[in-house]
């Protein structure tokens, strides 16, 4: 046995995975609410404990070596197994109530996810749900580290142990102040906003990625004037006249008196929503029941 290997903890693996998802010490620290130095210390400490090099310097970047990619995959498996063991123990404790841990993005909490849960409860009134609303990136993170049984998001998880189901595709909308000249249009090409300041979600969020991709297809790089922490904050900034933004179609379920949302009339104006869950789960039967309802709810009528 390599000296120190027995000292590798779940905490070490969780921090390593946060780094591995971004290959960036500072962003991992921001996600976890800890310092960059702490992330670096844990990752380099893992190298010492395991006796292998997990990361390497590539110019100004730090990236995973082959051993780092292997540890990332195996650590995901270990953490999911831990979560499954806890869930199975609780399920076998005699309590007939089962709790499904669900993570979803902000915009899907406006109507889609609550509707799906209501339909599931009609058939399974014994269920309880514990929902966590956050960014699409964090939604996937919670699934991969075993903190969620099922997730709804627009970021496609890529893991052989995860089942991914496309639910529906929805349009992206240009959000402008209600008194903006563009607000009267039935649709608009995003190029019409090329010279406007933009309000956006923070880097790393799926909404920021959708905005950047839509602008790139329209032939320009957006000038980000303000960053917000969630789509409701973003729209409040738009309503205050600080800029325009690209928002998902589900935001139309939420009325904002100072914001107009206009469909984009180009091919860049859409996103796909996915449901994802582990292939193996202690609550697999209930997850599959929920997935069945979600697929039906997302299908065109």
């Amino acid at each position: 046995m390599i000296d120190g290997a027995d000292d590798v903890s779940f905490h070490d693996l969780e921090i390593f995975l946060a780094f591995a998802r971004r290959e960036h010490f500072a962003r991992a620290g921001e996600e976890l609410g800890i310092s960059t130095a702490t992330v670096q210390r844990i990752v380099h400490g893992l190298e010492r404990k395991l006796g292998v090099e997990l990361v390497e310097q590539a110019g100004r970047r730090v990236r995973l070596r082959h051993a780092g990619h292997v540890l990332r995959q195996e650590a995901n498996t270990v953490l999911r197994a831990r979560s499954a063991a806890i869930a199975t123990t609780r399920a076998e404790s005699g309590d007939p109530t089962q709790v499904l841990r669900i993570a979803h993005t902000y915009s899907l909490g406006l109507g889609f996810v609550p509707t799906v849960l209501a339909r599931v409860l009609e058939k399974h009134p014994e269920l309880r749900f514990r929902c966590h609303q956050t960014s699409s990136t964090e939604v996937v993170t919670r699934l991969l580290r075993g903190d969620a049984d099922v997730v709804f998001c627009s970021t496609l998880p890529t893991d052989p142990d995860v089942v991914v189901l496309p639910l529906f595709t929805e349009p992206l909308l240009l959000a402008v102040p209600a008194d903006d000249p563009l607000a009267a249009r039935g649709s608009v090409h995003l190029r019409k906003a090329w010279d406007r300041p933009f309000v956006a979600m923070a880097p790393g969020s799926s909404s920021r990625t959708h905005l950047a991709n839509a602008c790139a297809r329209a032939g320009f790089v957006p000038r980000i004037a303000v960053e917000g922490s969630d789509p409701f904050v973003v729209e409040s900034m738009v309503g205050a006249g600080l800029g325009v933004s690209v928002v998902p179609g589900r935001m139309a379920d939420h009325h904002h008196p100072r914001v107009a949302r206009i469909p984009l009339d180009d091919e860049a104006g859409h996103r796909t929503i996915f449901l994802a869950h582990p292939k193996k789960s202690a609550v697999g039967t209930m997850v599959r029941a929920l997935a069945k309802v979600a697929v039906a709810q997302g299908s065109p009528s």
Side-chain angles (χ1 to χ4, degrees), residues 135-209:
S135 69
S136 193
T137 302
E138 175 62 17
V139 164
V140 173
T141 296
R142 294 182 70 86
L143 175 71
L144 294 180
R145 71 182 180 213
D147 291 341
D149 300 308
V150 60
V151 301
F152 298 89
C153 61
S154 59
T155 299
L156 182 62
T158 54
D159 188 292
D161 295 323
V162 171
V163 176
V164 179
L165 302 173
L167 298 178
F168 60 88
T169 297
E170 67 173 352
L172 297 176
L173 310 173
L174 179 66
V176 301
D179 58 357
D180 190 283
L182 293 176
R185 293 179 175 238
S187 64
V188 65
H189 197 288
L190 194 54
R191 279 199 300 268
K192 292 290 185 180
W194 74 269
D195 58 345
R196 304 287 195 94
F198 274 76
V199 183
M201 294 281 285
S205 67
S206 63
S207 293
R208 179 67 168 262
T209 300

Side-chain angles (χ1 to χ4, degrees), residues 117-135:
L117 300 189
R119 299 285 186 271
V120 174
L121 283 176
E122 290 174 0
K123 298 182 178 181
H124 303 279
E126 76 282 0
L127 275 179
R128 285 197 299 121
F129 303 114
R130 183 177 299 127
C131 296
H132 186 87
Q133 179 172 269
T134 185
S135 69

